[in-house]
Amino acid sequence: MSVQQRIRYWRTTLRLTLGLLVLWFLVTFGVSFFARELDFTFFGWPFSFWMAAQGSLLIYGIIITVYAVAMGRLDKALEEQERRDRA
Amino acid sequence: MSLWRRPPDSGPSFKRQLDRVYQVYTAGFILLVVMLAVLEQLGLSREWISSIFLMVTIGVYAGIGIMSRTTDATEYYVAGRSVPAIYNGMAVGSDWMSAASFMGMAGTLYLTGYNGLAFVMGWSGGYCLVALLLAPYLRKFGQFTIPDFLGERYGGHLPRLLGIAAAILCSFTYVVAQISGVGLITASLTGVAFELGIFLGLGGILVCSFLGGMRAVTWTQVAQYIVIIIAYLVPVLWLSVKQTGVPVPQAIYGFQLEKVTAKERLLTHDPTEVEVRDIYRLRAQELADKLSDPAAAMLADRQQAEERLSRLRQEGASLSQTAAAERQLAMLPRDVDAAVALWTRQKQEADTKSKPLNGMPPHAIPFTGDPQGSLAERREYEESRRNFLALVFCLMVGTAALPHILMRYYTVPDVQEARKSVAWSLLFICLLYFTAPALAVMIKFEVFHGLVGTPMDQLPQWISTWNRVDPALLSVNDVNQDGKLQLNELTIGGDILVLAMPEIAGLPFVISGLVAAGGLAAALSTADGLLLTIASALSHDLYYKMIDPNASTARRVTISKVLLLVVALMAAYVAAQKPADILFLVSAAFSFAAAAFFPALVLGIFWKRANGLAASLGMIAGLAMTFYYMATTQPWLRAVFGITSPVELWWGIQPISAGVFGVPVGFAVIILVSLVSPRPDGATRALVEGIRLPGKAGGAKDDRPL
């Protein structure tokens, strides 16, 4: 595996990680900070309460799943590249 | 027994075999519950039902432990690195869900409404940090413990030693809480003494982790997860059907929340509630007067009681009346300190009870105070919001730094499985965390609509049952003597809500037994994982890596087993002393873990420049900062260390969230010290580059021979 490939792999990993962490931060601290202001009904629920009790948990699940799938693809691409280089 | 051990190169068939085993197990457990339900209808006594639940479940856990006994180091420390992602997810779930999650969370949510959701968010969102920043890299690193990583990455004994110390500090406080939970449940289930209950439960923990280490713990934890989740969901589903006719409490409780909110408005202005609150306000005022001059108030109390006694004697009152007066006299506090402590506690209670809704904030409203109100109300609002965010932060970062959780990700076969395994973990944890807020709202509905306003002589049976167990957990006091129950006349401790819920909902006793078995599984599974973490830190990191690097595998495993026994007995001994502020200690463990491990672990992976000296100083500084803030602000720790200066909260942050200062200090120290000291050597940089690459690339240490 060339140094460039490694660097590209790591950069992509960092970009993905950073992007998902920003989402995590906004959902957790952004929405909670304005919890009192976000006072509207959401499918029969008080929105802030629903976000803290269920919405944010769903988004956390999405973040982790997206990360696992995307990183799995990235790993596979790198492995294939490696195999092609060797051949 | 080959059942729990993966034969080489048999991934999918091993998983199919596990699927079959756990399907049979789940069906067997459900059959047991149904059978006991039938037997209850036929007249089987409560004692028998709870004893059968207790013995069968502990027997099964012990059986799994015996079947997976091992002396192989990879099996003992990391379950042979063969646990499929989904099963590791379940094991993390039950490792994670302690007695506090199972029993305490719904109670906290009942008492604090939205503000308690900090625990739900913090304890689930932390897994984002585990997934994105730690689990895959630790798995790629592929050793046995967390201090292992610190030792290899930063070099030298100091980082490893600090890791060992911090791992033991966090895990030991946590394990003490689990063991007292075990004692409480076995005691309330079977009626044995609390201390005996502790040692019974301890037997269950030990048989499992003692013989088979991580392999036994993993497969028992999966079994325990199944018990935990069935025990939590079944009664809540039942309650939901009873209240709404829909068996999906997580989806439907929005409507119940609406009704609870409407009732909250009514209760706030209800004249009888106002009357009760006024009585308590008066009582609080009296206590405040007494506290302003305790010595004089004590004297007055004593004189009054003595006068009453002598008057009764002169009047020739009945023996029981004089005896009661004598008892009252004897019960008076003995010295000024005792009197101040008693009255302060009573005043706190009266203060709470002079607030609307028994001091509980409106359930659906975020934070307390009012951003448009008076200066004091605005301040309260700002502080409560800040504390909510700080608590979420500490719980999240703490989750991503607790060694017994991180260690579990060493047990999966490879990096990709580690990533998937975090997703499974969160799913299994969220099954319970979606349900806890629903349970809290539905119990509130039950109390508001079924209980408040009931005549005192028609209160349901469970109130007197639990009052007998411990009046501090549940008591009723008709202070305005109108013969009816007002909300503020009822005191419910958060810890009993889940255990009492089947009775509150009027379910058969077999469900109570099931819930207790679930609570027991939650406490046992967490205690298993924690004890193993402590024993591995001592035997693998301290003994093998630092004292005797030539020790044979068998010797290391034997030492680990002996240490496990010693630590477990020590924890049981401490738990039997009933230390005062155990719940605080557990929350404190999160702040300590966050400040000690998180900066060093994350920078160790993402910043090659971080070196050993910096990491050691950073861990010390983070821990010291957290500890300093807690020791100067938390009442119990202040008493322990004899600190008398006035409490100075920084930006109003509560001591439970001390990690919010410790974590940034840890990061800052590591970064600054690294920048002014030499960069790490080439081998270390190569190690970091290696763990950043997937699969076997970059000098992987997967399955490295020992």
Side-chain angles (χ1 to χ4, degrees), chain B residues 482-495:
Chain B
D482 67 345
K484 282 187 182 163
L485 180 73
Q486 272 79 40
L487 181 62
N488 285 34
E489 296 175 339
L490 172 74
T491 307
I492 296 189
D495 288 339

Side-chain angles (χ1 to χ4, degrees), chain B residues 336-459:
Chain B
V336 178
D337 286 344
V340 170
L342 177 74
W343 292 337
T344 314
R345 207 183 62 234
Q346 285 176 339
K347 180 169 180 302
Q348 258 169 7
E349 196 196 323
D351 279 338
T352 311
K353 288 196 165 290
S354 52
K355 288 182 195 150
L357 302 175
N358 215 356
M360 297 186 286
H363 203 89
I365 305 290
F367 319 127
T368 55
D370 185 0
Q372 266 92 46
S374 66
L375 192 67
E377 280 171 331
R378 278 207 301 270
R379 227 181 105 104
E380 188 189 341
Y381 171 74
E382 290 289 337
E383 277 188 6
S384 104
R385 176 166 74 178
R386 209 177 296 141
N387 270 300
F388 181 89
L389 296 175
L391 184 58
V392 170
F393 174 83
C394 285
L395 296 175
M396 281 190 175
V397 178
T399 303
L402 280 176
H404 72 286
I405 294 300
L406 293 178
M407 218 168 95
R408 287 229 53 95
Y409 295 101
Y410 283 130
T411 67
V412 293
D414 58 37
V415 176
Q416 295 207 18
E417 290 283 297
R419 294 193 198 109
K420 279 189 227 159
S421 178
V422 189
W424 284 116
S425 310
L426 186 66
L427 175 79
F428 290 125
I429 291 167
C430 283
L431 268 184
L432 196 145
Y433 284 8
F434 262 66
T435 315
L439 175 60
V441 167
M442 288 193 295
I443 294 210
K444 217 170 217 180
F445 178 85
E446 202 73 29
V447 168
F448 281 6
H449 289 263
L451 211 55
V452 171
T454 312
M456 281 291 176
D457 49 6
Q458 289 170 26
L459 290 175

Side-chain angles (χ1 to χ4, degrees), chain A residues 1 5-7 9-10 13-14 16-22 24-25 27-39 41 43-65 67-76 78-79 82, chain B residues 113-114 117 120-122 124-129 131-133 136-137 249-255 257-258 363-371 381-382 385 388-390 392-393 396-397 415-416 419-420 422-423 426 430 433-434 437 441 605-606 689 692-698:
Chain A
M1 190 183 339
Q5 277 165 5
R6 287 186 188 199
I7 291 176
Y9 173 85
W10 182 240
T13 309
L14 281 185
L16 180 67
T17 308
L18 193 70
L20 291 173
L21 277 181
V22 168
W24 165 83
F25 184 88
V27 169
T28 307
F29 298 103
V31 175
S32 304
F33 188 85
F34 295 106
R36 188 68 81 89
E37 283 81 6
L38 295 168
D39 176 29
T41 335
F43 293 108
W45 298 79
F47 178 74
S48 298
F49 188 92
W50 182 82
M51 260 317 268
Q54 301 193 344
S56 51
L57 275 65
L58 285 174
I59 297 173
Y60 297 149
I62 292 170
I63 289 176
I64 296 177
T65 313
Y67 178 75
V69 171
M71 285 304 290
R73 279 198 194 145
L74 198 61
D75 287 2
K76 205 171 272 170
L78 192 74
E79 268 167 41
E82 219 176 323
Chain B
Y114 178 94
L117 292 173
V120 174
M121 280 175 85
S124 56
Y127 282 87
C128 287
L129 300 177
L132 269 52
L133 302 178
Y137 304 104
Q250 300 86 345
I252 200 75
Y253 77 93
F255 295 106
L257 182 58
E258 213 173 298
H363 203 89
I365 305 290
F367 319 127
T368 55
D370 185 0
Y381 171 74
E382 290 289 337
R385 176 166 74 178
F388 181 89
L389 296 175
V392 170
F393 174 83
M396 281 190 175
V397 178
V415 176
Q416 295 207 18
R419 294 193 198 109
K420 279 189 227 159
V422 189
L426 186 66
C430 283
Y433 284 8
F434 262 66
V441 167
I605 293 164
F606 287 87
E689 275 169 20
R692 288 173 178 182
L693 287 172
K696 301 262 185 279

